[in-house]
Structures are given as structure tokens and as C-alpha cells.
Amino acid sequence: MTQDSKSNAKQNLILVGNGMAGMRTIEEILKLEPEKFNITVFGDEPYGNYNRIMLSPVLANEKTIDEIMLNDDDWYKENNIQFEKGKKITEIHRTRKEVIAEDGTAHPYDKLLIATGSTSFMLPLPGVDKYGVIGFRDIKDVDTMIEAAEHYKKAVVIGGGLLGLEAANGLMKQGMEVTVVHIMDTLMERQLDAPAAKMLQKSLEEKGMNFLMDHQTEEILGDERVTGIKFTDGTTLDTDLLVMAVGIKPNIDLAASAGIHCERGIVVSDTMQTFDPNIYSVGECVQHRGVTYGLVAPLFEQAKVAANHLVELGYARYEGTITSTMLKVTGIDLFSAGDFHGDDDTEELLFHDVASGIYKKLIIRDNIIVGTCLYGDTIDGTWYFQMMKDETNISDFRSTILFGQAHLGDAGHGDETRVAAMADDAEICGCNGVTKCEIVDAITEKKLFTLDEVRAHTKASASCGSCTGLVESLLAHTLGGDYSQAPSKQSMCGCTELTHDEVRDAIRKHGLKNHEEVRRTLAWKTDDGCAVCRQATNYYLLCEYPEYNDPESRFINERAHGNIQKDGSYSVVPRMFGGMCTPQDLRAIADVADKFKVPEMKVTGGQRIDMFGIQKEDLPEMWKDLSEAGFVSGHAYGKAMRTCKTCVGDTWCRMGTQDSTGLGIKLEELTWGSWMPHKYKLAVSGCPRNCAEATIKDFGVVCVDSGYELHVGGNGGIKVRVTDFLTKVDTEEEVLEFAGAFAQFYREDAHYLERTAPWIERVGLDKIKAAVLDDEENRKKLYERFLISQKPAQIDPWKKHAEGVDAHQFKNIKITVEA
Amino acid sequence: MSNWLEITNLESIPVLGSRVVETDSIKIAIFRGKDDSIFAIKDECPHKQGPLSQGIMHGDSVTCPLHNWKISLVSGEALGVDEGCTNVYESKVEDGKVFLKLS
Ligand code: SRM
Ligand SMILES: Cc1cc2nc3c(=O)[nH]c(=O)nc-3n(C[C@H](O)[C@H](O)[C@H](O)COP(=O)(O)OP(=O)(O)OC[C@H]3O[C@@H](n4cnc5c(N)ncnc54)[C@H](O)[C@@H]3O)c2cc1C
Ligand code: SF4
Ligand code: FES
């Protein structure tokens, strides 16, 4: 079947504009369907495509042109791409579906991708065409500047924004005497507020940069070559080189002259399609939902979406990007994102330490970060930015947020989280013993950009993940401006570009029924996926279809229904509802332990008994005995409901207010067997003394005289988190309904391997309240769905296996080999 | 001289899953790929002897259940940045039966 479509003649895809956005789209297409198109690329620059944002470090002598080339001529050859280097397209003939190059040749297309980028905006001043007046956009401009620095002394940069300052810094590094002329009285007014801008100006002045603020240029002086400029106030300034960095102008002429609808940029839809269905456009030349962009992160997202539609997968949508800014001037730390000025409805959190040159400002609306501006200490920039994008509710840690992520009670790391100050041999990843310098070396030597790449190369953050924040800070710190290249969304694993949410949505939307359908429909890069995406996908599928099960996509613990131990044996933990037991129960466990010669037993932290060192082949027999004595699996091994811890309660305890053990049993009977995104624990305490530690459980109940307080999102593990109070209810029935509804909302909303604590921190308590507290009807629906999912889940897996399901798993094939 | 040993029916090994073959001296994990290809590898991870048979199989490699090393089922070598190697054995399928060549 696929054979057919392949034998059809390939379509012609033409890309006009060999820049960062266009070529990223081509790379995405090659990843998805390398055989779909005959690809021809036109670029009017005489090089392969290069990393334009690195022109600043090149100018500052920190990188060479070779180091910033992304794809050389060989790459185009290897990928069978016809590369028309140095050839400009001057005309698009839409009815004939042809582009015409400047040499008059015509080239037919089936699909056309326009990624013509933008050009430096040159102020229309008298004299702007003199020699030595340039923009800052491409390799040619950089060459001109370096050459000028060899022969001349003085340079002026008009424009005190990001580009202007990077140009000025580079020219200074080339040995020139540089003055920045800016029309406003503070620098980078689109990214910085006045205090931060003043601090920046001071630091740059200390480096030797000169400033003429509040100055408007009127005329460029000189004969053939620029010799100076004249301002509106009549004064003049001598210079041998004039760099204009006052803004960029989207290159829309080609598209506009072909009758494609353009405003400031080429207007595209959420699929990156222009008004001509055969023509797509990405990059700085486009205008999407009224916005044009001038940074790479949004363009890379656009590239992914355009590729998705060009290969006719057709499900991706571009919905705009919130961008952040850093300045690539060595020794200056600056980070800004969002609305950093604020308005009447916003509040401002401010930290300003003049002596040590640190300024941090967060703009908050309804406890959600809407903007940030950091100077001097930008380590937490990515953290604030992530919370801003996630719309995280910060009310819980508002009072300490300005001190950074390090202060969030990250048990065990504490102040050391300031990665910049850490010693080179400091251990970042405790699980895999990876040090700071190993990570930094890997990032620089292997050119790593993303968390996943660091994980793959160093193993750091690849296990328990508690050091993920540290590794991300190290990435940001080591890469500086480059980190903006990292995708702003995290894909599930290396097998797909899609995020957890996107995979899940696709399963729901397209009714995907199994692993193969998911991987095929969503164009997975690997045939079988990998251990990471298979387990996650498996969970999403079984959450949609409670009967679904693919044992081979589950971690061994869930396949063998026991915890694998370091020597390959297993542990067996029978469920003890609410921690309650009878002498018969204990006797049955003792008998089983004797019969199977269990080497060691222990009372667990979850109020039940663990038997260690069981050989896999013995498991079904042992389960059979336990099952006959009335026990079911304790799921101590699963991403599943684990235990419901209880305290004595009002049956015996002189302080008890309610029957906490009885309620605990009911809760465990309701929830046992449920598969979850991660482990899930409950507890019921009989009074606020809270002996069952209900306030560090995923769902905790604290009984009080007048009813039951319900708490959610606690965690006692790697990073201790106290629960959020959800509500108080009057009856046990209500407790059960809330317990089921909350569990179901978590099951349907959280990412695989995300416990309730980080989930709530990501989505915010308000979202949970809206779903399970404020909307009664929705709560009842969630509860109902939970009960439905519990039907297959509560068929005891131990009993099933004891009765012979998957028996092959437990039986080795014994053979004798003759000598 | 070594000979082909008949081990089991192909059908007794789940697709993308494994069985363990046990002799007096060693354990060998037999994996079955999606296209019914068969791989035989010593059931010992080069890292800390984890039982590879219990890992998740994908393509022609397996992820060890203990610390997530990825091991090639073709060469027995650790993939990615990890370094180490374990034995692989010759195997074949004929008429729905799985054969293994030891040593
Ligand atoms: C057996 C037990 C220790 C004990 O002897 O008491 C235990 C044993 C393991 N825990 Fe635990 N945990 C046990 C109670 C706990 C508790 C205490 C509790 O539940 O009250 C906690 C902290 C509370 C919490 O979860 O919030 C706990 C937090 C963890 C964590 C960190 C989880 C987190 O979200 O931060 C892990 C690692 C993970 O899940 O990724 C972990 C992982 C493990 C694993 C499964 C390690 C692994 O991945 O293989 C251990 C299996 C040992 C083995 O070979 O059998 N164990 N573990 C306890 C079993 C309880 C039960 O009856 O089911
Ligand atoms: C000095 C500098 C520093 C920067 N720093 C950062 C930073 O730190 N972070 C960040 O996110 N962004 C930064 N940027 C912005 C970033 O480089 C751009 O957003 C990005 O390169 C735009 O990609 P594009 O593909 O849309 O355009 P371009 O990369 O400009 O590519 C367009 C290409 O199309 C070619 N072209 C145009 N018209 C035609 C035609 N008719 N026929 C053939 N070819 C044509 C052009 O010659 C050009 O090569 C920086 C930019 C500069 C100049
Ligand atoms: S704390 Fe938990 S995971 Fe760590 S060694 Fe003890 S039982 Fe194992
Ligand atoms: S034993 Fe296999 S990864 Fe450690």
C-alpha cells in the first residue's frame, strides 16, 4: 500500500531563503518523510546556511565562521537537495506554479516555502548610501566591520537595542572606539525597565563603550565614505563606520509582488499556510495572528508546524510563542520576558542590590508571572520563564520566589543550587554520580542544546530527575544566548518531537487504539519506540481504554507484579487494607514465607509486610497461596495506587475524632489496583495530630470533630512537599467521591511519571479546584469514570497469574548441554 | 563441534518480549522482534549483571531493567555513552522452531 504512494512521482518542493527558519523546516521534513519531495533550495547568500545568531560572537572574536556553519555543501548533497547557492528568486508565477530566478531560469514547484527572513532597517537619512554605512544582518556585514576595524579607528552604532549593543561590543573587541547613539534615554527599552537599563549602561561604560542617549540623527556626513553624523540638535560626531541597528524589516516584496496577502509580514494561518494553499511561509518574513517575530525560538516552532503540514500529517498547530531575551555580551547577565512594565492590575516583586549589581523584577497578575526582568543574576530566568509559560500559581512560594529556585526547600541541594558558584567537581546527579564539569564539558564539546541530549550523553538527570533543574540551569549558564535554540517544549523522548500532552490529545482526538497506531499516525522516528515512550504511551492508552494492556511495553515490575531487586529476584508485598490485619493474615504470610524459604522480611514504610529475595519462577505459586488466604497484590511495584496509611482513630485512641482505620479501608477498597501516572499514596489521620502523615500524601484525609479535611498533592520522597488543602466535607461518602474524582482527574491530566506534587505545581491548584470542587457535575462524572476504570483494574493480577496467565513469563526453558 | 539446539516454539516467545534459556552454567535471554527475528544474548547486563531478559525490547536493542543501559542485541555492546559488552549467541528460526548455537 505504501509501495504505491512511493512509486508515484515525487512532488517538487522549493524553498526560497536559505536561512535558519527555512532550513529548519527542511530538516524537519527530512526527519518525517525523507522521500516525499524533490527539494530545491534557493539562497541569495553565497554560503550554506549558518547560525545567524552567532554572528555576534564571531564579531567579538569568540567564534569563527566555520564554527557557526550549520549545513555545508556536502550535507545538501548527502540529502539529495539541489542547492542553488547565491541565486536570488525574483518572481513567483502562481498560476504556472513556477519561481523565476534572477538569471531568468524558471523552476516548477508543487509546494513552495517562502522563508526570506528580514533585512536591517536602514533609516532613510540623507547620505545613507555612503560607503561604511551598513546594517548588522549577515556574514557580509561582519566582514565589512572586521575589515573597517583594520583600517579605521572610530565606529558609531545607531540603536541601543539587543543587536546594536552586540554590534558595539563586537566592534570594541575588534579594537575600535565605539559610540552607541540611542534615541531614547534608556537602553533596550523593549526588553528592560529603567533601573535595569541603567545598570546595563553602567557595566558597558565600564567596559569602555560610549553612549549618546536621547540623540536623533539627521544626516550622514562625508563624500564617498561616511566621516561623521549630524544630530537634530545641530551637533556632530566623527566616525569612520556607521552601523544601523534600529530594527528589522520583513522581506515580503517577493511574496507581495506575486499577489500573496501581506501586511507587515506575509500573512499565514496556524498551519503556516499563506493565502495560496500551495505556498507556506516561515520565519521573520511572516506575520502570524498579527505578530512578527525576530528571535529563533518561535521560528523553530513554526518550522515544525510547516513541516507537519507539508508532509501532509496535518495535525500540528502554531499558536504563537512567548519569547524571552538574553544579551550575548560576555560578562553581562541579562534576562527578560513578557510584560516587564506591568499596569494597574499587576503587582511587582522587586529585588535590587545596587552594591552587588543585582536586579530582579517579576510582574505578577493574580499570582501568575506575566513578565520578568533580571540583571546581574539570571540563573533563575529559565525557571521564571517556564512558570510564566505554564501560568503556574505562585501564591505558595511568593515570599521567597525572588531568592530563586534554590530556596524552595529542595532537600539536599539547598544553596548549592546556584550552579554558577558551584565547584567543578560538585556532584550534580546523585543517582549516576555526574559532576558539574563532566556536564559542562559534554555541553561544550558535544554541542548539546537540550536536556535530553545531556541525559543521553552524561546520564545526568536521567534517573530520579531531582537534579533536572540544576542541569537546566547548567545548560542555560553554559550556552548563554544559545540556549534559546533549545525547543521551548519538551518532547516525550528521542523517538518523537511531540510532548506528552500532544501525544495524549492525539490519542483522544483520533481515537488511536494501540501502540502501533500511535507511532504510525504520529510519525514516530523509531519502529518500536523506546523504553521511555512505550511506557508513557501504554499508560495513556490504558487510561483511555481501561481494558488495554500491553505487557511488553511495561516496566518489568508491572509485568512481573513485583519489585525487581539488584540480584534479579523479586519482592512480594501483599495488600493489607488500611494497614489492618488479623492473626490469621499474619499466620498465612508466615506460612508462605516458610514454604518458599523467604530469606528476609520487613515491615514497610507503607504499613504492610515485604518478603524479599523471591525467585521469579516461584512467584505464581506463592501468589496462589496468598490468594487462597484472601490477599491481593499490594502493587508495591507499580505506577499505581500503593497504600492507604491509617492511624488508630476513634475506635481506640483517646484523641480520635472519626473512624480513620475504617475510612482508610474504604478508601483503599475503592482505589486499589488503579493504574496511575506515577505512584499514588493515601492516608487517613484520626485527628490533626496527623499520625498517619496525611499531609505528605497524594490524597490525605485529616479527621476533625466536624468532618473530614481533604488534602492533595503531598509528597514525602525526593522533594518533600506538604499537601494543599482542598476542602472540608461532612460525610465518608463525600470523602470517597472526592477521592475518586481527584484520582481520576490526576489520571487524565498529569504526564506519565509526574506525581501529584509536581503536577499541581505545574498546573496550579485552581485548575484542580475548578475540576473537582467547584463543578459538582464534573466531579460526579470524574468519579463515575474512575469507577468504570476500576472494574478491570481490580481483577487481582496475582490471582490471574497464579491461574496461568502469561505463564511463559515465569518459566525458564531448561536445557542440558552435552560436553 | 557445536550444534544447533532446538529450544522452543517461536510462538512461546511474545513479540517484543523474551524467554530465558537456562543451562547448568548460564542463562541466555531469547528475544523476539516485531518481524519475528530472534536474538540470543547472555542474560547479564555488562553494567551490574542486571537480567536483560526482563528489560523492554525495541528495534534490535533492549533497555536493562536495573539502570536503563541500552544494550545491542546484535553485538551485545552497550549503546550510547555507556561502555561494556556481553555475549551474544547465534540463533535461527526454522519451521516455527527456535534454534540456538552455544559457544
Ligand atoms: C519497601 C519500601 C521501603 C521499606 O522497606 O519501607 C520502599 C522501597 C522502594 N521504594 Fe519507596 N519504599 C517504601 C516506602 C516509601 C515511602 C514511605 C511511604 O510511602 O509512606 C516513601 C516516601 C513517601 C512518598 O512516596 O511520598 C517512598 C519514596 C520513594 C521514592 C520517591 C518518590 C517521590 O515521589 O519522591 C522512590 C523513587 C521513585 O518512585 O521514583 C521510591 C522507590 C522505591 C523502590 C521501588 C526503588 C526502586 O525503584 O526499585 C524501592 C523498592 C525496594 C525493593 O527492592 O523492594 N520510594 N517510599 C516501602 C514500601 C511501602 C509499601 O508498603 O508499599
Ligand atoms: C547579529 C544577530 C544576532 C542575533 N541574535 C539572536 C539571539 O541571540 N537569539 C535569537 O533568538 N535570535 C537572534 N537573532 C535573530 C535570528 O538570527 C533570526 O530571527 C533568524 O535568523 C531569522 O531566520 P529566518 O530564516 O527567518 O531569516 P534569515 O536567517 O535571515 O534567512 C533568510 C534567508 O533568505 C535569503 N533570501 C531572502 N530573500 C531571498 C530571495 N528572494 N531569494 C533567495 N534567497 C533569499 C536571505 O539571504 C537569507 O539568507 C540575531 C540576529 C542577528 C542578525
Ligand atoms: S530509600 Fe528506598 S529506593 Fe533508596 S535504598 Fe532505601 S528502599 Fe531503596
Ligand atoms: S545492570 Fe544493567 S544497567 Fe545497571
Side-chain angles (χ1 to χ4, degrees):
Chain A
M1 344 122 282
T2 42
Q3 218 63 19
D4 275 336
S5 52
K6 266 185 196 154
S7 62
N8 285 342
K10 282 193 196 176
Q11 294 193 15
N12 285 334
L13 171 69
I14 290 184
L15 164 65
V16 182
N18 185 38
M20 299 190 75
M23 283 314 294
R24 178 56 77 102
T25 314
I26 300 294
E27 287 175 25
E28 298 286 349
I29 289 174
L30 294 177
K31 278 195 244 166
L32 293 172
E33 244 186 87
E35 298 302 324
K36 182 162 179 94
F37 293 109
N38 288 317
I39 302 176
T40 310
V41 173
F42 289 89
D44 62 2
E45 292 189 69
Y47 323 93
N49 61 309
Y50 57 92
N51 187 345
R52 195 174 302 281
I53 75 177
M54 287 291 122
L55 287 178
S56 303
V58 169
L59 183 61
N61 281 332
E62 289 161 9
K63 285 219 154 82
T64 64
I65 293 286
D66 281 348
E67 283 173 321
I68 71 166
M69 289 316 288
L70 293 171
N71 296 317
D72 55 16
D73 291 356
D74 288 344
W75 182 89
Y76 289 85
K77 275 196 207 102
E78 281 158 24
N79 288 285
N80 291 321
I81 294 174
Q82 193 182 335
F83 181 25
E84 300 287 345
K85 199 158 65 170
K87 216 180 246 185
K88 182 171 179 159
I89 295 297
T90 49
E91 204 183 319
I92 302 170
H93 220 291
R94 293 202 288 136
T95 41
R96 288 209 304 262
K97 295 224 270 178
E98 279 175 359
V99 295
I100 318 288
E102 57 189 340
D103 59 4
T105 51
H107 307 260
Y109 65 80
D110 295 296
K111 291 275 186 280
L112 177 64
L113 178 63
I114 305 180
T116 42
S118 54
T119 27
S120 306
F121 177 66
M122 304 301 276
L123 293 170
L125 301 173
V128 68
D129 46 4
K130 292 192 196 312
Y131 282 114
V133 181
I134 55 170
F136 184 19
R137 182 69 197 173
D138 50 26
I139 294 185
K140 195 175 82 255
D141 294 331
V142 172
D143 285 345
T144 311
M145 289 192 235
I146 293 177
E147 206 188 281
E150 282 165 13
H151 301 98
Y152 300 99
K153 192 88 204 98
K154 287 190 172 149
V156 164
V157 176
I158 302 187
L162 202 75
L163 269 188
L165 295 178
E166 290 186 8
N169 177 61
L171 289 167
M172 241 165 49
K173 291 274 172 64
Q174 295 291 343
M176 295 190 89
E177 210 175 275
V178 185
T179 305
V180 174
V181 174
H182 196 45
I183 193 163
M184 313 288 285
D185 60 357
T186 61
L187 296 173
M188 289 180 68
E189 70 282 352
R190 283 167 59 202
Q191 286 92 13
L192 299 181
D193 65 359
K198 287 280 177 237
M199 294 172 85
L200 170 65
Q201 188 176 339
K202 188 160 158 265
S203 317
L204 291 172
E205 276 165 354
E206 278 161 13
K207 284 176 180 280
M209 208 179 279
N210 305 306
F211 291 93
L212 268 184
M213 307 302 285
D214 226 345
H215 270 64
Q216 189 175 353
T217 313
E218 188 179 76
E219 194 186 336
I220 298 166
L221 309 172
D223 295 328
E224 295 233 309
R225 188 177 180 97
V226 55
T227 54
I229 52 175
K230 185 167 155 224
F231 300 107
T232 45
D233 64 4
T235 57
T236 59
L237 178 66
D238 289 346
T239 187
D240 310 310
L241 178 73
L242 178 62
V243 179
M244 286 213 201
V246 290
I248 53 173
K249 195 166 81 18
N251 287 333
I252 59 171
D253 294 350
L254 177 68
S257 66
I260 297 167
H261 179 55
C262 296
E263 288 170 8
R264 260 179 313 135
I266 302 168
V267 176
V268 294
S269 68
D270 284 3
T271 62
M272 306 315 293
Q273 200 174 37
T274 67
F275 277 54
D276 181 328
N278 293 313
I279 305 182
Y280 285 75
S281 186
V282 292
E284 285 187 347
C285 58
V286 310
Q287 175 181 332
H288 169 263
R289 298 194 185 177
V291 182
T292 55
Y293 292 96
L295 293 167
V296 291
L299 313 187
F300 287 174
E301 283 180 35
Q302 293 176 353
K304 238 176 222 171
V305 174
N308 183 284
H309 289 275
L310 282 166
V311 304
E312 290 167 53
L313 283 171
Y315 57 79
R317 285 275 172 290
Y318 180 66
E319 294 174 338
T321 310
I322 308 174
T323 54
S324 65
T325 310
M326 301 194 210
L327 185 70
K328 298 191 298 298
V329 172
T330 308
I332 294 203
D333 288 325
L334 170 163
F335 183 93
S336 128
D339 168 13
F340 53 87
H341 284 305
D343 55 37
D344 290 348
D345 298 332
T346 58
E347 300 159 275
E348 187 176 299
L349 300 182
L350 195 66
F351 176 94
H352 193 171
D353 181 347
V354 182
S356 51
I358 294 175
Y359 179 82
K360 301 181 182 185
K361 176 159 129 179
L362 291 176
I363 300 291
I364 315 286
R365 182 177 292 128
D366 297 332
N367 278 319
I368 287 169
I369 300 176
V370 294
T372 177
C373 177
L374 308 176
Y375 188 82
D377 176 2
T378 53
I379 271 254
D380 289 301
T382 43
W383 182 52
Y384 296 140
F385 187 48
Q386 193 60 47
M387 289 194 288
M388 178 172 138
K389 285 189 291 185
D390 292 346
E391 301 188 359
T392 307
N393 187 308
I394 61 153
S395 46
D396 286 352
F397 47 101
R398 221 182 124 119
S399 57
T400 54
I401 190 168
L402 281 176
F403 299 111
Q405 199 168 16
H407 280 256
L408 267 195
D410 201 348
H413 296 303
D415 249 346
E416 278 175 355
T417 324
R418 343 224 85 224
V419 290
M422 283 169 91
D424 276 352
D425 60 358
E427 187 173 85
I428 301 270
C429 173
C431 292
N432 297 300
V434 191
T435 59
K436 173 180 167 186
C437 87
E438 284 172 76
I439 298 174
V440 172
D441 287 353
I443 294 172
T444 40
E445 277 160 27
K446 308 230 164 71
K447 302 198 171 156
L448 311 181
F449 283 123
T450 65
L451 183 62
D452 277 345
E453 288 170 343
V454 176
R455 283 184 179 147
H457 280 89
T458 67
K459 286 278 145 124
S461 150
S463 297
C464 83
S466 70
C467 61
T468 303
L470 283 177
V471 176
E472 282 183 326
S473 302
L474 266 181
L475 259 170
H477 186 71
T478 313
L479 293 173
D482 258 11
Y483 189 54
S484 59
Q485 282 221 51
S488 57
K489 51 178 201 179
Q490 281 290 327
S491 65
M492 198 151 153
C493 67
C495 302
T496 175
E497 303 292 335
L498 300 174
T499 63
H500 282 265
D501 285 329
E502 287 168 337
V503 173
R504 208 166 188 180
D505 289 347
I507 291 176
R508 289 180 181 150
K509 203 161 125 209
H510 305 302
L512 308 178
K513 289 278 183 306
N514 55 46
H515 286 272
E516 263 74 46
E517 279 186 28
V518 170
R519 290 196 291 269
R520 197 164 8 94
T521 315
L522 303 180
W524 238 244
K525 293 181 219 159
T526 49
D527 284 345
D528 302 340
C530 68
V532 175
C533 60
R534 283 253 295 285
Q535 294 184 72
T537 308
N538 195 67
Y539 171 73
Y540 296 138
L541 285 165
L542 75 80
C543 182
E544 267 334 276
Y545 317 109
E547 311 271 353
Y548 187 79
N549 187 27
D550 175 28
E552 310 315 330
S553 295
R554 292 193 142 192
F555 185 56
I556 181 59
N557 284 2
E558 292 183 6
R559 222 180 313 145
H561 294 280
N563 261 308
I564 194 165
Q565 319 267 293
K566 54 194 277 195
D567 64 354
S569 67
Y570 289 82
S571 64
V572 169
V573 187
R575 196 167 284 283
M576 284 184 175
F577 288 84
M580 299 292 280
C581 58
T582 64
Q584 289 90 315
D585 291 341
L586 295 177
R587 220 169 272 128
I589 290 179
D591 287 345
V592 168
D594 275 344
K595 178 167 162 193
F596 293 92
K597 301 198 175 57
V598 170
E600 193 163 272
M601 293 173 74
K602 177 178 181 305
V603 174
T604 73
Q607 293 187 333
R608 51 222 190 138
I609 291 169
D610 198 344
M611 290 171 267
F612 297 104
I614 320 295
Q615 295 308 312
K616 195 176 183 191
E617 291 188 278
D618 288 339
L619 287 172
E621 274 300 300
M622 195 161 164
W623 292 341
K624 182 164 167 279
D625 289 4
L626 287 167
S627 176
E628 276 164 17
F631 285 104
V632 296
S633 164
H635 291 84
Y637 47 79
K639 304 299 172 220
M641 186 277 174
R642 295 285 176 95
T643 63
C644 183
K645 200 162 169 166
T646 65
C647 72
V648 194
D650 72 353
T651 331
W652 301 98
C653 178
R654 68 195 166 97
M655 303 295 180
T657 63
Q658 311 278 357
D659 178 13
S660 51
T661 40
L663 178 58
I665 292 171
K666 284 182 193 153
L667 277 169
E668 188 154 357
E669 282 172 348
L670 172 72
T671 53
W672 80 270
S674 177
W675 297 111
M676 297 279 185
H678 205 306
K679 55 173 67 162
Y680 188 86
K681 298 173 178 180
L682 298 88
V684 187
S685 286
C687 83
R689 284 162 201 78
N690 195 11
C691 298
E693 298 160 342
T695 47
I696 49 164
K697 294 289 180 276
D698 298 276
F699 185 86
V701 183
V702 176
C703 302
V704 290
D705 220 33
S706 56
Y708 308 85
E709 288 176 2
L710 307 183
H711 298 259
V712 295
N715 194 317
I718 298 162
K719 186 165 163 186
V720 182
R721 180 179 195 269
V722 173
T723 42
D724 292 306
F725 174 70
L726 183 66
T727 186
K728 201 186 121 198
V729 297
D730 300 332
T731 65
E732 288 194 342
E733 286 64 44
E734 288 169 283
V735 177
L736 294 174
E737 183 175 303
F738 270 96
F742 174 75
Q744 186 64 12
F745 188 49
Y746 168 59
R747 298 181 74 232
E748 291 176 5
D749 193 75
H751 299 164
Y752 185 65
L753 291 191
E754 183 176 47
R755 268 190 89 170
T756 56
W759 170 60
I760 289 186
E761 285 184 1
R762 179 171 63 85
V763 304
L765 184 64
D766 285 345
K767 180 168 178 187
I768 281 118
K769 283 188 168 160
V772 301
L773 181 61
D774 306 336
D775 184 346
E776 189 185 332
E777 197 184 324
N778 192 45
R779 174 168 71 245
K780 296 215 183 305
K781 282 199 187 128
L782 283 166
Y783 185 51
E784 208 172 291
R785 288 205 291 280
F786 183 69
L787 293 180
I788 292 170
S789 79
Q790 281 298 77
K791 277 192 195 129
Q794 288 194 342
I795 300 169
D796 180 33
W798 284 1
K799 186 145 180 268
K800 257 193 330 208
H801 287 292
E803 286 165 357
V805 170
D806 275 356
H808 62 80
Q809 231 212 103
F810 301 96
K811 229 187 242 126
N812 290 351
I813 303 165
K814 302 230 162 77
I815 55 171
T816 31
V817 189
E818 287 138 44
Chain B
M1 272 299 298
S2 56
N3 288 313
W4 286 106
L5 285 169
E6 185 183 327
I7 302 299
T8 183
N9 293 328
L10 181 64
E11 288 314 311
S12 77
I13 309 172
V15 176
L16 291 182
S18 75
R19 294 290 304 271
V20 180
V21 173
E22 204 177 326
T23 75
D24 292 343
S25 49
I26 50 165
K27 285 186 180 167
I28 298 169
I30 313 272
F31 285 90
R32 173 176 174 191
K34 205 158 58 192
D35 54 357
D36 285 346
S37 50
I38 288 287
F39 303 91
I41 187 168
K42 187 172 176 193
D43 197 14
E44 253 185 46
C45 177
H47 179 219
K48 293 187 176 173
Q49 289 84 51
L52 296 174
S53 55
Q54 313 296 296
I56 290 182
M57 179 198 189
H58 33 82
D60 53 12
S61 54
V62 60
T63 299
C64 176
L66 294 196
H67 316 98
N68 297 330
W69 280 30
K70 270 195 204 128
I71 312 294
S72 161
L73 294 170
V74 179
S75 65
E77 275 172 50
L79 301 171
V81 283
D82 298 316
E83 276 167 34
C85 192
T86 192
N87 289 350
V88 288
Y89 300 88
E90 270 185 77
S91 59
K92 66 174 179 184
V93 186
E94 264 170 26
D95 297 333
K97 305 237 183 302
V98 179
F99 295 85
L100 187 61
K101 206 183 227 179
L102 295 179
S103 84

